[in-house]
Amino acid sequence: MPNCTVESCTVETSDGVKLSTRLFKPREEDIKEGSPVVVLVHPYSILGGCQGLLRGIAAGLADRGYKALTFDMRGVGRSTGRASLTGFAEIKDVISVCKWVCENLSADRILLVGSSAGAPISGSAVDQIEQVVGYVSLGYPFGMLASILFGRHHKAVLESSKPKLFVMGTQDGFTSVKQLKNKLSSAAGRVETHLIEGASHFQMEGPAYDAQMVNLILEFIASL
């Protein structure tokens, strides 16, 4: 990663959990002044989700001049605490990391990006953080089986008036294109979708799609 540096730090949550965090910083001459800091929220902890899965996207954003931050939610990697089944405890993790970004990076604009189960978790935090100016979902699990775990997260992001982008593969095994469109038909504010033809849920999480995700995120930032 020649065009960025990675700094490790620890963020403490409101309930005392310590989160292992990485800040991806562009070279000083490449920093896009006034642009939002991108906070990335990883997939489902219980299925092996961790911040390492978002390293490629974070580095790609930093290479293009944007500060990006990844972190291991509670109970993952070096983070303390215990992962929850439904992701409600992890909302505190997202809020605490965003608060840290505002206080330590002098940021007044944040873009939240959630991958897989990280999408409902970060979506529940969108309106709890004043500085969040937009939200990107990468493979939001809206389908019936996934909704048993994450259904109670849906309302918060769908009712938020903040701009939202939902990216999904057309072969996503958790959510069909029809289910996605039905859910978003009632969403408030500006809502965009981007479908990736032929991509499955876990394929889209893989490194082969990192560059495409970076480009979609940057296009969305430009529209804010």
Side-chain angles (χ1 to χ4, degrees):
M1 289 177 290
N3 296 326
C4 72
T5 57
V6 183
E7 297 178 2
S8 297
C9 51
T10 301
V11 173
E12 187 164 344
T13 68
S14 57
D15 57 345
V17 172
K18 292 180 172 61
L19 304 174
S20 172
T21 306
R22 293 182 196 137
L23 171 63
F24 293 73
K25 293 175 70 174
R27 294 182 305 188
E28 284 296 326
E29 62 268 28
D30 294 336
I31 291 175
K32 300 278 193 299
E33 293 298 338
S35 61
V37 175
V38 183
V39 173
L40 297 129
V41 184
H42 68 69
Y44 197 31
S45 302
I46 289 168
L47 289 182
C50 64
Q51 66 177 324
L53 295 171
L54 297 169
R55 180 184 180 90
I57 296 175
L61 290 166
D63 283 346
R64 305 279 282 274
Y66 293 84
K67 293 175 185 173
L69 198 118
T70 65
F71 63 99
D72 282 326
M73 289 188 275
R74 59 187 60 211
V76 175
R78 294 181 179 177
S79 294
T80 64
R82 181 178 295 179
S84 73
L85 196 61
T86 59
F88 272 87
E90 284 80 353
I91 298 169
K92 295 190 191 82
D93 300 349
V94 177
I95 293 169
S96 298
V97 167
C98 289
K99 184 179 177 184
W100 183 93
V101 166
C102 294
E103 292 174 352
N104 292 272
L105 302 180
S106 302
D108 58 3
R109 299 174 77 223
I110 292 171
L111 177 71
L112 268 181
V113 178
S115 174
S116 189
I121 292 166
S122 55
S124 285
V126 163
D127 278 349
Q128 297 190 50
I129 306 155
E130 182 185 349
Q131 293 83 2
V132 169
V133 295
Y135 164 86
V136 177
S137 154
L138 308 177
Y140 197 118
F142 274 127
M144 280 182 63
L145 284 176
S147 292
I148 294 169
L149 291 173
F150 306 117
R152 288 189 301 142
H153 288 280
H154 297 177
K155 184 179 178 183
V157 73
L158 294 176
E159 291 186 352
S160 173
S161 61
K162 294 179 180 178
K164 298 174 280 290
L165 168 65
F166 291 83
V167 182
M168 195 182 84
T170 59
Q171 299 300 313
D172 190 298
F174 293 100
T175 309
S176 69
V177 173
K178 184 178 179 181
Q179 286 170 325
L180 177 70
K181 289 180 176 176
N182 284 345
K183 273 291 181 184
L184 299 185
S185 65
S186 62
R190 185 181 123 209
V191 182
E192 298 174 31
T193 58
H194 184 94
L195 298 175
I196 298 178
E197 194 62 42
S200 70
H201 186 87
F202 293 109
Q203 265 184 321
M204 211 176 78
E205 287 180 16
Y209 285 89
D210 284 350
Q212 191 170 354
M213 298 302 136
V214 169
N215 287 333
L216 288 169
I217 292 167
L218 293 180
E219 286 173 14
F220 186 67
I221 288 173
S223 72
L224 296 176

